[in-house]
């Protein structure tokens, strides 16, 4: 989805023996790897999946730019978090002096955080371990933890909702962009000859 992932792909795949060339098409979310027999395609996919990049082998016409199960999971996560966060707006009507645990709306905000936090933590972990950097997911995780510590559950839920929504929106946009790009690529001829 971004240049940092391209760098990660080059770092992980480039370190494998027998790999001579890596071509990354960021728009289509595809890579083409030139390699010899000692590095089978399954090893390339396994290496990328260990880095949490969701790779799979694509052959010819059976191109699917986005995993349907992943798209449905992203949409379900975004909708669930959106509903829980929306209900948690009731926190703002809490009377002064009322404890958070006596307010039922606090629990909707905490449920939103509990649902989105595992995915956010995995993304943070991948950035720290595989990219050796604090990425935007780490920033969101730190902000969520900070909001929870100061008992601002609505803020923590808002961060988690916008994270889930951005994951779904990115997947949707990439899928449609890739599909349109593929249509444009289909008008190119298979063979070309230099003009006289």
């Amino acid at each position: 989805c971004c240049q940092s992932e391209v760098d990660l792909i080059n770092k992980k795949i480039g370190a494998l023996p027998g790999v001579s060339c890596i071509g990354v098409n960021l728009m289509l979310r595809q890579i083409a790897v030139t390699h010899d027999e000692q590095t089978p395609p399954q090893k390339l996919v396994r290496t990328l999946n260990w880095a949490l990049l969701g790779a799979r082998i694509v052959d010819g016409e059976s191109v699917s730019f986005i995993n349907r199960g992943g798209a449905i999971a992203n949409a379900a996560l975004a909708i669930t978090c959106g509903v829980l966060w929306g209900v948690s707006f009731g926190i703002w009507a809490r009377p002064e002096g009322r404890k958070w645990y006596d307010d039922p709306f606090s629990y909707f905000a905490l449920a939103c955080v509990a649902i989105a936090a595992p995915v956010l933590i995995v993304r943070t972990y991948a950035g720290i371990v595989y990219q050796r950097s604090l990425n935007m997911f780490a920033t969101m995780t730190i902000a969520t933890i900070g909001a929870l510590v100061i008992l601002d559950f609505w803020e923590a839920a808002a961060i988690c909702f916008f994270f889930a929504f951005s994951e779904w929106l990115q997947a949707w946009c990439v899928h449609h962009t890739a599909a349109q790009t593929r249509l444009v690529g289909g008008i190119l001829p298979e063979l070309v000859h230099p003009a006289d």
Side-chain angles (χ1 to χ4, degrees), residues 120 123-125 128 133-143:
L120 186 56
R123 300 280 185 176
T124 301
Y125 173 80
I128 292 170
S133 67
L134 293 176
N135 55 19
M136 67 178 181
F137 304 114
T139 305
M140 285 189 270
T141 301
I142 292 167

Side-chain angles (χ1 to χ4, degrees), residues 24-144:
V24 179
N25 186 326
L26 192 56
M27 175 99 42
L28 296 178
R29 296 182 73 173
Q30 291 184 342
I31 65 170
V33 182
T34 305
H35 57 92
D36 59 19
E37 302 83 30
Q38 68 177 346
T39 307
Q42 293 77 12
K43 185 173 183 176
L44 300 172
V45 170
R46 191 169 48 249
T47 300
L48 293 175
N49 287 336
W50 273 103
L52 302 176
L53 291 171
R56 64 189 182 286
I57 297 173
V58 178
D59 56 345
E61 293 302 312
S62 64
V63 176
S64 173
F65 294 106
I66 190 168
N67 184 344
R68 286 286 173 210
I72 292 170
N74 281 340
L77 181 65
I79 291 169
T80 304
C81 287
V83 168
L84 291 171
W85 181 58
V87 173
S88 75
F89 269 81
I91 288 174
W92 295 105
R94 180 171 43 204
E96 192 69 34
R98 188 174 185 187
K99 299 292 185 189
W100 70 266
Y101 47 80
D102 291 330
D103 185 6
F105 296 108
S106 297
Y107 295 101
F108 285 99
L110 288 172
C112 177
V113 172
I115 289 171
V119 180
L120 186 56
I121 290 168
V122 166
R123 300 280 185 176
T124 301
Y125 173 80
I128 292 170
V129 171
Y130 298 113
Q131 296 174 317
R132 305 222 189 294
S133 67
L134 293 176
N135 55 19
M136 67 178 181
F137 304 114
T139 305
M140 285 189 270
T141 301
I142 292 167
T144 302

Side-chain angles (χ1 to χ4, degrees), residues 107-189:
Y107 295 101
F108 285 99
L110 288 172
C112 177
V113 172
I115 289 171
V119 180
L120 186 56
I121 290 168
V122 166
R123 300 280 185 176
T124 301
Y125 173 80
I128 292 170
V129 171
Y130 298 113
Q131 296 174 317
R132 305 222 189 294
S133 67
L134 293 176
N135 55 19
M136 67 178 181
F137 304 114
T139 305
M140 285 189 270
T141 301
I142 292 167
T144 302
I145 292 169
L148 292 173
V149 167
I150 64 172
L151 303 179
D152 191 351
F153 302 132
W154 184 87
E155 182 74 25
I159 295 166
C160 289
F161 164 69
F162 285 115
F163 159 72
F165 179 74
S166 68
E167 287 286 293
W168 169 80
L169 185 62
Q170 176 191 10
W172 184 85
C173 289
V174 166
H175 171 69
H176 288 284
T177 302
Q180 295 302 317
T181 304
R182 187 162 184 254
L183 289 175
V184 171
I187 65 173
L188 297 175

